[in-house]
Amino acid sequence: MDLLINGTPIGTFSGASLLDYTIGETSIDNATFKGINRTNWVLLKSMFGTRTLTITVIFKGNTLHAAKVNRSKFNSAIFGKSEIFIPDDGFFYDVTCDSLGDEMLVGIGERESQIKSTYTLTGIRHGIKRTVLVSKNQSFLCESTVPFTDCRLTLTSTQTVAEYAFGGGVWENISAGDVLVFDGINCEITKNGDNYAQYVTWMNFPTLQAGLNTVETDTDDVKIEYYPTYL
């Protein structure tokens, strides 16, 4: 199995193939405070960031021009934010392309020409999406190893109330049958598919902690969706 980009095998790009890759470690940003002539110090914050990946891809074509066109198609697919899957390690990476690299000639033959490029990417490692259905005050396990993981919470209200506590926010004027979505993945708050953020008192989009979690809800079952994310 070859590398996937946005779910599409790399070979779809007219015979493109992964030649080599490297995966860097997650960046960490710590801030500490130590007083004058003190022997102890305080951790003020510890934040995780992204990791750097490089992939080297060979592009083929029956002419040099065709090989370059195939590379250009791949460049278009990886431009901006994309998702790649590296089968060797079995992880997905949400990445942005920071550099398309140089267009290097591998060889020109009578029937085929080849070029290669090394791409520099920045991203976060994750697994396939998990979906968990929980009842009020029921705990569940978040498989991530990062301290906080964005998630999407969905429920269908079984009651008609002026205020409904859900996901860390207070929702106004909820009727039985309303579908509420508190989406920390796409940064959306909706009721029945329509934007509802102005009718919700909230501070932060929902996240999960690594390990056991519970979701605030008045009475109804909640569907939790998230991508296990790894340091």
Side-chain angles (χ1 to χ4, degrees), residues 1-21 54-61 67 69-78 82-88 115-119 121:
M1 184 177 181
D2 211 341
L3 179 142
L4 303 180
I5 175 170
N6 298 324
T8 300
I10 193 175
T12 302
F13 299 94
S14 298
S17 59
L18 181 65
L19 179 63
D20 194 12
Y21 69 90
T54 63
I55 58 173
T56 300
V57 182
I58 289 184
F59 302 92
K60 303 175 183 178
V69 169
N70 292 335
R71 176 178 180 268
S72 183
K73 292 178 181 178
F74 180 85
N75 290 352
S76 178
I78 206 167
S82 58
E83 180 189 76
I84 65 172
F85 174 73
I86 299 178
D88 286 351
I115 56 176
K116 69 177 181 178
S117 293
T118 297
Y119 297 81
L121 314 170

Side-chain angles (χ1 to χ4, degrees), residues 15 79 108:
F79 180 79
I108 301 177

Side-chain angles (χ1 to χ4, degrees), residues 95-113:
V95 298
T96 56
C97 182
D98 300 325
S99 172
L100 299 175
D102 295 327
E103 191 175 81
M104 301 178 63
L105 179 65
V106 176
I108 301 177
E110 293 183 1
R111 297 183 179 181
E112 183 179 83
S113 297

Side-chain angles (χ1 to χ4, degrees), residues 169-187:
V170 178
W171 301 56
E172 300 177 6
N173 301 321
I174 301 303
S175 300
D178 283 343
V179 178
L180 313 182
V181 179
F182 205 173
D183 189 346
I185 296 175
N186 298 306
C187 298

Side-chain angles (χ1 to χ4, degrees), residues 179-206:
V179 178
L180 313 182
V181 179
F182 205 173
D183 189 346
I185 296 175
N186 298 306
C187 298
E188 296 177 342
I189 300 175
T190 64
K191 184 179 83 168
N192 301 325
D194 298 323
N195 182 15
Y196 206 67
Q198 65 269 35
Y199 303 109
V200 181
T201 302
W202 59 288
M203 292 292 291
N204 299 296
F205 283 106

